Amino acid sequence: MALALALGGAAHAQWSIGPAGARQASPGQNHYLYLVAADPLPGLEQAFNDAYQNQHMGDLVQLEGWTGAQRFRLATDGQPRTAVQGARYGYLIVFDQEGASPPALFVGGKNRRIPGFDYATPGASWQATYKVLGPKRRRPDGRSPFMPAASDLNTPRLNRYVLMEFDDLPAGVKAADFEAALDRRIGQVLTLPGWMAAQRLRLEPTPPATGRAPRAAEPADQYLTLWETEGRSAVEVQGALLAATKAGKVEALTRDAATAESTYWLPISPYITKDDFER
């Protein structure tokens, strides 16, 4: 499946975000997101992207319990601060998984290594598995992402961004109170311009990869809020949130300042499933 990648500059994103629907599991199953962030080895970025795009994604979405995948590039504008986990890296892949527990990594199918991926250096990549806690929440006004009319030759589409907000439970705060605050805040933020949908997730242990030496656990916060946003830039999207928080329209969370992280990502591939390789 040959795809043209917009990997540099400030080009407008050309892909929608994630699967259609509420990103919920089938009855009796759980839904998980398996995240892998990495940078290519020096001089091997083209090979890294080609193998990820045209080989690795297709290999894994054919495995039992692996239901879809999409790749992202870090949006380098608008990042709030130097990050401690995912935003150290330039590329991210998000795999959707389904089952009673997260499926074992790479069991029962191809396990081809990616040229340009640093498998040897500790900390050269980051991985984590998060369990979906409920259906995707959308804007209360029902507004969809902005799309100019087909006859409109002048108005550009807006960039689509995934924002990943990672949080640990702050000291002295009860889990139930913090989770309730996260839910309240989602409802408030989804009234802001450019904020289209949100979903909450909680960290799960990632199964070990078969046929490989066990990896040391990467640092990962307990909570993840995955947002779908749109705007001319990540700065614009983040600015709307900061202004609303300052004005008291959005609740300011009590966060663990040592680990809390917000990272914006641009899609650089379509969302694919097994069906993309069978039609």
Side-chain angles (χ1 to χ4, degrees), residues 12-98:
H12 288 285
Q14 299 298 308
W15 304 109
S16 60
I17 295 173
R23 207 170 208 149
Q24 275 190 294
S26 303
Q29 303 291 304
N30 294 314
H31 198 118
Y32 303 94
L33 297 188
Y34 174 52
L35 315 178
V36 180
D39 276 327
L41 289 166
L44 294 175
E45 186 165 10
Q46 182 174 347
F48 172 90
N49 281 305
D50 179 69
Y52 240 127
Q53 202 85 2
N54 298 307
Q55 170 184 305
H56 194 61
M57 294 173 74
D59 286 351
L60 296 193
V61 296
Q62 298 177 63
L63 300 181
E64 185 70 25
W66 298 64
T67 60
Q70 189 167 22
R71 293 190 67 222
F72 298 85
R73 170 175 59 83
L74 184 69
T76 54
D77 63 321
Q79 297 301 336
R81 62 179 178 83
T82 301
V84 295
Q85 46 190 17
R88 291 183 296 168
Y89 309 99
Y91 293 98
L92 170 73
I93 188 164
V94 178
F95 289 102
D96 281 277
Q97 301 175 327
E98 191 170 294

Side-chain angles (χ1 to χ4, degrees), residues 11-277:
H12 288 285
Q14 299 298 308
W15 304 109
S16 60
I17 295 173
R23 207 170 208 149
Q24 275 190 294
S26 303
Q29 303 291 304
N30 294 314
H31 198 118
Y32 303 94
L33 297 188
Y34 174 52
L35 315 178
V36 180
D39 276 327
L41 289 166
L44 294 175
E45 186 165 10
Q46 182 174 347
F48 172 90
N49 281 305
D50 179 69
Y52 240 127
Q53 202 85 2
N54 298 307
Q55 170 184 305
H56 194 61
M57 294 173 74
D59 286 351
L60 296 193
V61 296
Q62 298 177 63
L63 300 181
E64 185 70 25
W66 298 64
T67 60
Q70 189 167 22
R71 293 190 67 222
F72 298 85
R73 170 175 59 83
L74 184 69
T76 54
D77 63 321
Q79 297 301 336
R81 62 179 178 83
T82 301
V84 295
Q85 46 190 17
R88 291 183 296 168
Y89 309 99
Y91 293 98
L92 170 73
I93 188 164
V94 178
F95 289 102
D96 281 277
Q97 301 175 327
E98 191 170 294
S101 59
L105 298 186
F106 318 132
V107 170
K110 298 181 181 69
N111 187 8
R112 293 180 285 180
R113 293 199 166 210
I114 302 168
F117 194 103
D118 188 346
Y119 292 96
T121 306
S125 62
W126 174 86
Q127 63 172 346
T129 300
Y130 283 86
K131 179 182 176 181
V132 170
L133 298 180
K136 183 192 300 183
R137 292 176 59 180
R138 302 182 184 277
R139 294 181 60 87
D141 59 12
R143 186 181 305 168
S144 298
F146 173 71
M147 178 65 71
S151 59
D152 184 345
L153 305 181
N154 299 313
T155 306
R157 283 174 286 136
L158 299 174
N159 285 319
R160 301 291 306 282
Y161 298 95
V162 162
L163 168 64
M164 294 192 172
E165 285 190 329
F166 295 94
D167 283 289
D168 267 330
L169 186 64
V173 178
K174 295 180 180 179
D177 293 339
F178 186 66
E179 293 177 18
L182 287 172
D183 284 330
R184 289 195 303 273
R185 183 170 176 267
I186 286 174
Q188 296 160 1
V189 174
L190 288 179
T191 65
L192 303 180
W195 294 79
M196 310 309 295
Q199 193 162 31
R200 285 212 303 112
L201 304 96
R202 186 175 59 232
L203 185 68
E204 290 277 318
T206 297
T210 57
R212 297 182 188 169
R215 291 181 51 173
E218 302 290 350
D221 287 343
Q222 181 180 1
Y223 296 104
L224 167 62
T225 305
L226 189 152
W227 299 90
E228 297 180 12
T229 71
E230 65 175 16
R232 289 173 294 182
S233 68
V235 171
E236 178 182 81
V237 176
Q238 182 72 7
L241 175 60
L242 293 176
T245 304
K246 185 176 181 180
K249 297 178 181 178
V250 170
E251 183 171 344
L253 287 175
T254 301
R255 303 192 119 128
D256 184 339
T259 62
E261 175 179 308
S262 298
T263 58
Y264 284 89
W265 301 86
L266 279 162
I268 57 170
S269 84
Y271 182 84
I272 66 164
T273 70
K274 181 180 179 180
D275 292 342
D276 291 294
F277 298 88

